[in-house]
C-alpha cells in the first residue's frame, strides 16, 4: 500500500525534524521521549546530551533505549541515557500516571501505565513508588476506596456505588469492605442499622459519662455536663441502631469504664467496637501507643504513623474519636504545647493530662 507508506514516511520525517530541533536546542524536556543514536560512534544519547552535537546525517532516532541497543548502540557515558531521567520530568510522568489511574474505569495494568508514560514497567514501578510512596496498585486501590466512601454517602444502591467506583466484582469489594469502612457497606450507609446498642449514663469525677456498647465491644464513651445531651449525642451517632437502656449486667460494664477513667495509668482491657476508615484506625492505634503522662503534637503523631504530611487528616481522625479516654485523643496537643480543642471540653482534657503526669 504505497500511499499509506508515503503518509507514514511523511509523519516520520516530520517527527524526526522535530526531534532534531530538540537535539540542536539541547532540550531537557525531550529527555526520555526518544534517544539519539550516532552511526559514526556507535553511541546513543539523550536529546539534551552536553557532548558535541553529531552531524544530522549520522543520527538515527529511537523511541526507547532497548531499541537503540537492539540496533547495536551503546549508552553514552556522559548523559547515561539508560539510567532514570532525573527530576521534574519524573514527577510529570508520575503525575500523568496518577491522572490515568484516577480517570480509568478499571484499574490500569502496570504495563499499560508504564507504556503510557514512556517507561519500562520496572523503572516505572520504582519511580512511582519513590515519588508517591506507594505502588501504583496501592494507589489505585486507595483511589477507589475513596470513591466508594464518597458514593456511599449519597447513592441509593450499594451495588451501584461499588460499580460506579470501578470495582467490577461485588465479591472482591465485600471481602475488603470491613477493613475499609469498619462495617459492611449496608451498615455504613444505614448509620448502624440492625445493630443493637446498649447504653447507660453514670457520674464520674469529670461529670456525666455515657457508655454505649454493641455486641462487639464498647462503641461510645462520652463525657459532659448534661446526661440528656449525651443521650442525644449517642442517638445522633447511631441514628438507625436500636438503642437499649443498659440492664444490671451492663451497669457492671459502665462501672468498669468509670474505674478506668478514674485511674490515670490503668490499661484499657475491654474490646472496642469503633468504626472508621482504615486511616482513622491507624490514627487511633497510634493514639493508644502514646503512654499516659506523655503528650504529642498532631505533627508528631503523623510522623510516628509514617504519614508526616497528613497532619490535618490526623487531627480530623482524633476529632472523630467516639471513645473518650479509651482512645486517648486527649494526649494530643498543639505544637506550641497549647491544649487546643477537646470534644468533651478543654477543662476535662487539662484534668486528664494533669492526672496522668502524676506517677
Ligand atoms: Zn550523551
Amino acid at each position: 500500500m504505497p500511499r499509506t507508506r508515503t503518509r507514514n514516511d511523511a509523519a516520520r520525517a516530520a517527527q524526526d525534524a522535530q526531534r532534531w530541533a530538540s537535539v540542536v536546542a539541547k532540550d531537557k524536556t525531550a529527555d526520555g521521549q526518544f534517544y539519539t543514536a550516532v552511526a559514526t560512534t556507535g553511541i546513543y544519547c539523550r536529546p539534551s546530551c552536553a557532548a558535541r552535537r553529531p552531524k544530522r546525517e549520522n543520527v538515527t532516532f529511537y523511541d526507547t533505549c532497548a531499541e537503540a541497543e537492539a540496533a547495536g548502540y551503546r549508552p553514552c557515558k556522559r548523559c547515561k541515557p539508560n539510567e532514570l531521567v532525573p527530576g521534574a520530568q519524573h514527577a510529570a510522568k508520575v503525575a500523568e500516571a496518577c491522572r490515568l489511574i484516577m480517570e480509568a474505569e478499571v484499574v490500569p495494568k502496570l504495563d499499560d501505565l508504564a507504556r503510557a508514560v514512556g517507561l519500562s514497567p520496572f523503572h516505572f514501578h520504582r519511580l512511582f513508588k519513590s515519588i508517591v510512596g506507594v505502588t501504583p496498585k496501592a494507589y489505585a486501590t486507595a483511589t477507589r476506596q475513596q470513591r466508594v466512601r464518597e458514593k456511599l454517602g449519597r447513592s441509593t444502591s450499594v451495588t451501584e456505588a461499588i460499580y460506579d467506583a470501578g470495582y467490577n466484582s461485588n465479591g472482591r469489594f465485600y471481602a475488603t469492605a470491613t477493613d475499609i469502612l469498619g462495617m459492611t457497606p449496608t451498615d455504613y450507609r444505614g448509620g448502624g442499622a440492625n445493630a443493637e446498642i446498649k447504653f447507660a449514663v453514670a457520674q464520674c469525677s469529670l461529670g456525666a459519662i455515657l457508655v454505649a456498647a454493641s455486641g462487639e465491644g464498647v462503641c461510645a464513651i462520652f463525657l459532659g455536663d448534661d446526661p440528656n445531651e449525651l443521650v442525644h449525642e449517642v442517638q445522633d451517632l447511631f441514628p438507625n441502631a436500636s438503642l437499649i437502656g443498659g440492664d444490671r449486667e451492663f451497669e457492671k460494664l459502665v462501672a468498669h469504664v468509670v474505674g478506668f477513667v478514674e485511674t490515670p495509668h490503668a490499661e484499657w482491657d475491654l474490646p472496642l467496637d469503633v468504626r472508621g476508615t482504615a486511616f482513622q484506625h491507624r490514627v487511633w492505634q497510634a493514639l493508644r501507643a502514646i503512654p499516659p503522662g506523655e503528650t504529642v503534637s498532631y505533627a508528631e503523631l503523623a510522623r510516628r504513623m509514617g504519614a508526616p504530611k497528613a497532619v490535618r487528616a490526623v487531627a480530623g481522625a482524633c476529632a472523630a474519636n467516639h471513645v473518650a479516654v479509651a482512645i486517648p485523643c486527649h494526649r494530643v496537643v498543639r505544637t506550641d504545647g497549647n491544649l487546643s480543642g477537646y470534644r468533651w471540653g478543654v477543662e476535662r482534657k487539662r484534668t486528664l493530662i494533669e492526672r496522668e503526669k502524676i506517677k
Side-chain angles (χ1 to χ4, degrees):
M1 301 240 286
R3 197 167 292 169
T4 307
R5 189 184 297 149
T6 305
R7 196 156 57 217
N8 282 347
D9 287 350
R12 167 64 60 92
Q15 187 186 50
D16 282 2
Q18 205 171 40
R19 288 177 166 185
W20 179 246
S22 297
V23 172
V24 172
K26 296 194 189 298
D27 178 6
K28 279 198 183 301
T29 65
D31 288 358
Q33 309 289 325
F34 66 92
Y35 299 88
T36 309
V38 183
T40 43
T41 59
I43 282 173
Y44 73 96
C45 284
R46 298 182 194 282
S48 74
C49 183
R52 199 164 61 89
R53 192 204 310 163
K55 286 203 172 77
R56 173 67 186 93
E57 63 264 30
N58 296 328
V59 169
T60 310
F61 298 111
Y62 291 97
D63 290 339
T64 63
C65 296
E67 285 171 54
E69 288 180 23
Y73 291 95
R74 286 171 290 112
C76 167
K77 288 203 166 70
R78 187 152 174 186
C79 64
K80 301 189 171 86
N82 55 336
E83 292 181 12
L84 282 179
V85 190
Q89 209 186 345
H90 277 166
K93 283 176 189 286
V94 169
E96 170 66 6
C98 290
R99 190 185 63 78
L100 291 171
I101 291 169
M102 279 192 282
E103 289 177 358
E105 291 293 314
V106 294
V107 180
K109 288 193 170 71
L110 180 70
D111 287 5
D112 294 339
L113 283 171
R115 196 177 310 117
V117 300
L119 292 170
S120 75
F122 173 77
H123 277 166
F124 171 69
H125 190 269
R126 200 170 65 170
L127 181 66
F128 192 98
K129 187 148 188 280
S130 78
I131 289 178
V132 180
V134 297
T135 65
K137 191 171 178 202
Y139 182 83
T141 306
T143 303
R144 261 156 191 74
Q145 289 170 354
Q146 183 60 38
R147 278 197 227 164
V148 168
R149 279 198 296 275
E150 283 167 7
K151 286 270 180 189
L152 283 175
R154 322 183 266 275
S155 184
T156 48
S157 143
V158 166
T159 312
E160 203 180 301
I162 293 165
Y163 279 96
D164 282 358
Y167 281 88
N168 51 18
S169 142
N170 263 341
R172 184 146 51 98
F173 176 78
Y174 279 102
T176 53
T178 317
D179 292 342
I180 305 161
L181 304 170
M183 56 178 104
T184 63
T186 313
D187 280 353
Y188 190 78
R189 213 187 57 224
N194 308 321
E196 196 175 281
I197 291 170
K198 286 184 182 172
F199 74 99
V201 182
Q203 288 293 320
C204 69
S205 63
L206 297 168
I209 180 170
L210 179 145
V211 179
S214 70
E216 307 290 310
V218 173
C219 56
I221 301 173
F222 294 162
L223 302 167
D225 296 316
D226 180 357
N228 287 325
E229 257 183 47
L230 298 183
V231 173
H232 287 141
E233 254 190 83
V234 83
Q235 284 168 337
D236 288 345
L237 181 58
F238 305 110
N240 301 315
S242 323
L243 288 166
I244 302 163
D247 49 16
R248 275 285 162 84
E249 208 43 45
F250 194 76
E251 302 284 340
K252 283 189 202 162
L253 176 90
V254 174
H256 191 95
V257 173
V258 170
F260 169 78
V261 170
E262 304 290 2
T263 315
H265 294 268
E267 287 249 322
W268 178 262
D269 56 3
L270 294 170
L272 287 175
D273 180 19
V274 286
R275 292 162 187 208
T277 65
F279 183 80
Q280 286 173 327
H281 277 278
R282 280 177 64 204
V283 174
W284 297 338
Q285 283 295 330
L287 285 170
R288 296 181 72 186
I290 306 169
E294 191 184 324
T295 55
V296 302
S297 66
Y298 293 108
E300 166 64 12
L301 190 63
R303 198 190 57 74
R304 287 184 186 183
M305 289 172 56
K309 286 183 179 156
V311 179
R312 289 181 68 175
V314 165
C318 291
N321 175 30
H322 300 305
V323 286
V325 193
I327 292 176
C329 59
H330 62 273
R331 291 178 195 148
V332 184
V333 299
R334 285 220 302 255
T335 309
D336 60 10
N338 217 304
L339 287 186
S340 92
Y342 187 52
R343 178 172 164 186
W344 297 288
V346 79
E347 266 318 301
R348 288 191 182 88
K349 183 173 185 173
R350 193 188 314 280
T351 305
L352 284 164
I353 291 172
E354 276 167 9
R355 276 187 196 171
E356 288 179 357
K357 278 187 185 147
I358 303 160
K359 297 243 161 119

